[in-house]
């Protein structure tokens, strides 16, 4: 009831001590399609669901490389996410230009969080409507951070954001204790499992998701669709029955999805 | 059509049976193992060029065959553009081909400024006068003199489907050697390589600048920069500091969008041109005439303008580069120690090293 009086301006507090505009911005993150992240001591994996607005459209890019050693997955307002990715790239380039060494991930997320905080304290601005999962590798190992529109950031072993991410989070909560020692392949498989949880019944194919990895001896890169499909096939073989039944129940929707996606498997040229 | 050069029928051709100048012979035998022998007599003479451009060539039977230019020794070697200070015969294009900025040679006297000014209308005379007195005692001892010449020579040759970029690895200041193992070559993109000589501080900054700009380009356009694009970027970067220049003399080499070899040559403030081959640095005036003579490229003075890539094969071009550096090492004190050769072709970038004389 009181919410509506104090939510016009980001610079207006509510009597309970909340900034509603900032909280509304966090709601925007929940509207975007899901993104998951998990890390071990040496590798960090990001995954995202390729949700297209309609069957006619191509999906929007959700995974961006900021530097050789850092990448982000976004959920929410893609435009805000693109702008922030450009900011991250610039910061990484500036740091390595001046210091001839890669920007540590923890410093990068602090700079990003400070930038987000500015928008929560200016009456002529609005908060960014995008949540970022920042995965990177530096001297202290692999890291995964989540940056909120509020300007807060948290480090995670594994996390999921976006719509229907609770299912993925439940799955990750069961498994995250062993992630530190997981191999690279197991991390990717778990990321795909987590993405599958958010799909809730739809058959997982390589066209429906994007996965990227960064780790020791491996620069940040998006894994190609063929390799992802092989991982998915291996997963389905090992889990067997339940997946196949679910797949049999939903072939029409999967085919329609694939028909729409096949024509646009290449990312738009302006994105990276 | 060969370069209009001294190897015309009126002068003894390079492959004459006369022995090389005796003062050169002892140094030939004392070359370290692995150094290519000076092979001035190796190649056949080029076919006769346009005789009308060089009337003075008919009067010189007494010159030793190894001398490639005929002006009196005190003058700097004349470029084909302005032999003995006279303007060239009426051809409408006014190409500025050889390295316009020869003043990095310490041996050059201040009186040669007049010659260089004629060849370099692009540079302001103020800049020239400052930089031509670069090593006079008063300038070098000033507390606020911001430049230093670290010497070295760079060469780039474009072929039909390859490009060779080479530079020596000696870093010097004055009469001292700072290091024998410093690379002047920067690999900017998978088809673009930049070699620069001059002031090492500015060179390092320039290379970093371009590498960062290339990274931004890749983020924005999702692909690598092409050689012509990098050529323009380098020119703009240099001109951006028109009034406090990068003391860097650059040759940019790579493959263009069609896979052909591509070389761009620059002066210190960004004037650039696509050429078939070029050299910059302290030994450039020793090397350029030999390249003019040996590369069999079409003459840039001809009209219509022709593609100046050399018809030589990749191995022949690399051999020529090795020969030419070995010769330049003999005479230029700032060139030597080691030669770094980078070859760019369709299969990527390959690096090779060759030991040069260390004195």
């Amino acid at each position: 009831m009181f919410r509506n009086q104090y939510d016009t301006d980001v610079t207006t507090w509510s009597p309970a001590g909340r900034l509603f505009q900032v909280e509304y911005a966090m709601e925007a993150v929940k509207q975007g399609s899901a993104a998951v992240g998990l890390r071990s001591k040496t590798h960090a994996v990001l995954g995202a669901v390729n949700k297209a607005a309609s069957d006619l459209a191509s999906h929007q890019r959700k995974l961006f490389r900021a530097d050789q050693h850092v990448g982000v997955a976004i959920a929410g307002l893609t435009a805000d996410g693109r702008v922030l990715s450009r900011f991250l790239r610039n910061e990484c380039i500036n740091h390595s230009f001046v210091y001839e060494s890669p920007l540590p991930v923890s410093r990068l997320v602090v700079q990003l969080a400070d930038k987000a905080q500015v928008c929560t304290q200016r009456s002529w601005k609005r908060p960014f409507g995008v949540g970022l999962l920042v995965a990177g590798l530096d001297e202290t190992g692999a890291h995964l951070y989540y940056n909120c529109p509020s300007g807060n950031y948290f480090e995670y072993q594994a996390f999921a954001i976006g719509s229907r991410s609770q299912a993925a989070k439940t799955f990750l909560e069961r498994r995250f204790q062993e992630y530190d020692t997981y191999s690279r392949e197991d991390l990717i498989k778990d990321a795909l499992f987590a993405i599958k949880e958010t799909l809730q019944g739809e058959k997982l194919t390589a066209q429906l998701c994007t996965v990227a990895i960064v780790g020791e001896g491996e620069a940040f890169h998006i894994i190609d669709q063929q390799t992802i499909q092989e991982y998915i096939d291996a997963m389905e073989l090992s889990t067997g029955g339940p997946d196949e039944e679910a797949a049999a129940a939903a072939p029409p929707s999967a085919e329609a999805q694939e028909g729409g996606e096949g024509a646009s498997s290449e990312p738009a040229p302006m994105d990276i | 059509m060969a370069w209009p050069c001294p190897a015309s029928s009126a002068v003894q051709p390079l492959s004459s049976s006369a022995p090389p100048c005796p003062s050169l012979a002892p140094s030939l035998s004392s070359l370290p193992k692995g150094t290519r022998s000076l092979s001035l007599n190796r190649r056949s003479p080029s076919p006769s060029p346009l005789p009308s451009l060089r009337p003075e060539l008919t009067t010189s039977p007494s010159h030793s065959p190894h001398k490639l230019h005929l002006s009196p020794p005190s003058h700097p070697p004349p470029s084909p553009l302005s032999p003995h200070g006279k303007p060239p015969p009426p051809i409408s294009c006014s190409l500025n081909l050889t390295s316009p900025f020869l003043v990095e040679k310490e041996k050059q006297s201040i009186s040669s400024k007049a010659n260089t000014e004629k060849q370099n209308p692009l540079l302001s005379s103020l800049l020239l006068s400052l930089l031509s007195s670069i090593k006079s005692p008063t300038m070098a001892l000033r507390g606020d003199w911001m430049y230093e010449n670290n010497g070295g020579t760079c060469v780039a040759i474009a072929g039909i489907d390859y490009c060779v970029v080479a530079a020596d690895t000696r870093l010097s200041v004055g009469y001292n050697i700072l290091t024998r193992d410093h690379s002047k070559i920067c690999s900017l993109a998978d088809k673009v390589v930049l070699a620069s000589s001059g002031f090492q501080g500015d060179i390092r900054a320039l290379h970093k600048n371009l590498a960062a700009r290339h990274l931004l380009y890749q983020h924005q356009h999702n692909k690598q920069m092409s050689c012509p694009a990098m050529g323009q970027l380098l020119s703009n970067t240099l001109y951006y500091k028109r009034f406090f220049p990068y003391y860097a003399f650059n040759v940019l080499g790579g493959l263009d969008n069609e896979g052909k070899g591509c070389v761009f040559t620059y002066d210190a403030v960004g004037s650039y041109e696509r050429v078939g081959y070029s050299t910059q640095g302290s030994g450039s005036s020793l090397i350029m005439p030999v390249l003019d003579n040996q590369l069999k490229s079409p003459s840039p003075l001809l009209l219509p303008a022709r593609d100046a890539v050399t018809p030589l094969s990749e191995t022949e071009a690399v051999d020529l580069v090795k020969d030419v550096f070995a010769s330049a090492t003999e005479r230029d004190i700032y060139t030597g120690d080691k030669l770094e050769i980078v070859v760019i072709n369709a299969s990527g970038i390959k690096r090779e090293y060759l030991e040069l004389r260390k004195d």
Side-chain angles (χ1 to χ4, degrees), chain A residues 61 65-67 89-90 93 96-98 100 267 269-272, chain B residues 204-205 207-210 212-213 215-216 218-223:
Chain A
R61 198 75 183 242
R65 185 184 77 207
D67 203 349
R89 286 169 183 164
N90 269 328
I93 290 179
S96 52
F97 187 94
V98 174
E100 292 268 339
M270 281 304 285
D271 292 342
I272 182 175
Chain B
R204 182 71 68 85
H207 288 188
K208 276 180 83 164
N209 199 331
L210 291 175
R213 292 296 300 273
L215 200 50
L216 271 171
Q218 285 179 83
H219 280 145
Q220 280 180 339
H221 302 273
N222 204 11
K223 65 179 185 121

Side-chain angles (χ1 to χ4, degrees), chain B residues 282-355:
Chain B
S282 54
S284 62
S285 45
L286 298 169
I287 292 178
M288 198 58 165
V290 182
L291 294 183
D292 291 340
N293 181 270
Q294 293 292 318
L295 275 176
K296 316 273 182 269
S297 297
S299 166
L301 294 173
L302 294 171
L303 283 177
R306 248 168 260 196
D307 213 359
V309 294
T310 176
L312 261 47
S313 76
E314 186 181 311
T315 33
E316 285 176 332
V318 172
D319 283 350
L320 178 63
V321 162
K322 292 176 178 174
D323 282 342
V324 124
F325 263 92
S327 311
T329 305
E330 293 291 318
R331 293 290 182 179
D332 178 26
I333 60 173
Y334 299 105
T335 306
D337 288 331
K338 209 161 67 168
L339 172 63
E340 182 181 6
I341 306 173
V342 174
V343 179
I344 309 134
N345 53 24
S347 45
I349 299 187
K350 218 174 49 196
R351 214 164 280 252
E352 190 186 335
Y353 292 93
L354 172 74
E355 293 294 319

Side-chain angles (χ1 to χ4, degrees), chain B residues 10-317:
Chain B
V11 177
Q12 297 176 41
L14 280 176
S15 69
S16 82
S17 51
C21 179
S23 61
L24 233 34
S27 53
L28 279 174
S29 57
S30 61
L31 288 173
K33 238 194 294 192
T35 308
R36 310 275 312 187
S37 62
L38 299 173
S39 50
L40 293 164
N41 295 333
R42 205 161 61 127
R43 300 186 197 274
S44 52
S46 27
S48 50
L50 308 167
S52 59
L53 280 175
R54 303 292 293 259
E56 66 276 10
L57 295 181
T58 56
T59 62
S60 55
S62 58
H63 284 262
S64 359
H66 74 278
K67 275 213 164 101
L68 290 181
H69 51 262
L70 305 166
S71 58
S74 60
H75 287 186
S79 83
L81 207 51
S82 59
H84 302 285
K86 285 200 286 275
I91 291 177
S92 53
C93 63
S94 57
L95 299 166
N96 189 4
L97 290 143
T98 55
S99 151
F101 211 82
L102 299 170
V103 290
E104 70 281 351
K105 279 194 70 171
E106 266 68 352
K107 298 172 207 149
Q108 217 172 45
S109 65
I110 310 256
S111 63
S112 70
K113 185 168 75 83
N115 258 346
T116 50
E117 268 197 61
K118 277 207 189 69
Q119 295 170 17
N120 310 300
L122 300 153
L123 287 173
S124 71
S125 53
L126 175 65
L127 191 61
L128 261 180
S129 62
L130 269 179
L131 288 166
S132 62
S133 56
I134 192 163
K135 276 303 179 183
S136 71
T138 43
M139 285 303 247
L141 289 174
R142 279 174 63 156
D144 59 349
W145 184 244
M146 293 157 304
Y147 294 112
E148 181 176 89
N149 188 1
N150 296 119
T153 311
C154 313
V155 164
I157 298 176
I160 294 179
D161 60 351
Y162 66 90
C163 184
V164 178
V165 178
D168 68 324
T169 61
R170 171 177 288 177
L171 205 68
S172 19
V173 65
Y175 286 114
N176 304 314
I177 293 180
L178 293 174
T179 180
R180 299 191 190 273
D181 200 7
H182 178 260
S183 173
K184 298 183 181 61
I185 297 183
C186 177
S187 192
L188 288 171
D190 60 359
K191 297 229 174 344
V192 185
V193 168
L194 173 63
S196 326
S197 84
F199 172 41
Q200 190 254 340
D202 276 353
I203 290 170
R204 182 71 68 85
L206 178 65
H207 288 188
K208 276 180 83 164
N209 199 331
L210 291 175
R213 292 296 300 273
H214 184 230
L215 200 50
L216 271 171
Y217 182 98
Q218 285 179 83
H219 280 145
Q220 280 180 339
H221 302 273
N222 204 11
K223 65 179 185 121
Q224 302 256 332
M225 262 178 116
S226 65
C227 196
M230 186 60 85
Q232 185 67 54
L233 176 63
L234 174 54
S235 170
N236 291 346
T237 308
L238 292 170
Y239 196 82
Y240 197 73
K241 291 205 0 117
R242 170 69 177 79
F243 300 108
F244 181 10
Y246 287 108
Y247 189 5
F249 302 102
N250 306 287
V251 280
L252 187 78
L255 299 178
D256 65 10
N257 292 320
E258 296 151 18
K260 268 200 324 221
C262 171
V263 168
F264 293 94
T265 184
Y266 296 79
D267 71 358
V269 284
S271 161
Y272 82 116
E273 184 185 11
R274 181 170 177 175
V275 287
Y277 55 93
S278 179
T279 164
Q280 295 276 359
S282 54
S284 62
S285 45
L286 298 169
I287 292 178
M288 198 58 165
V290 182
L291 294 183
D292 291 340
N293 181 270
Q294 293 292 318
L295 275 176
K296 316 273 182 269
S297 297
S299 166
L301 294 173
L302 294 171
L303 283 177
R306 248 168 260 196
D307 213 359
V309 294
T310 176
L312 261 47
S313 76
E314 186 181 311
T315 33
E316 285 176 332

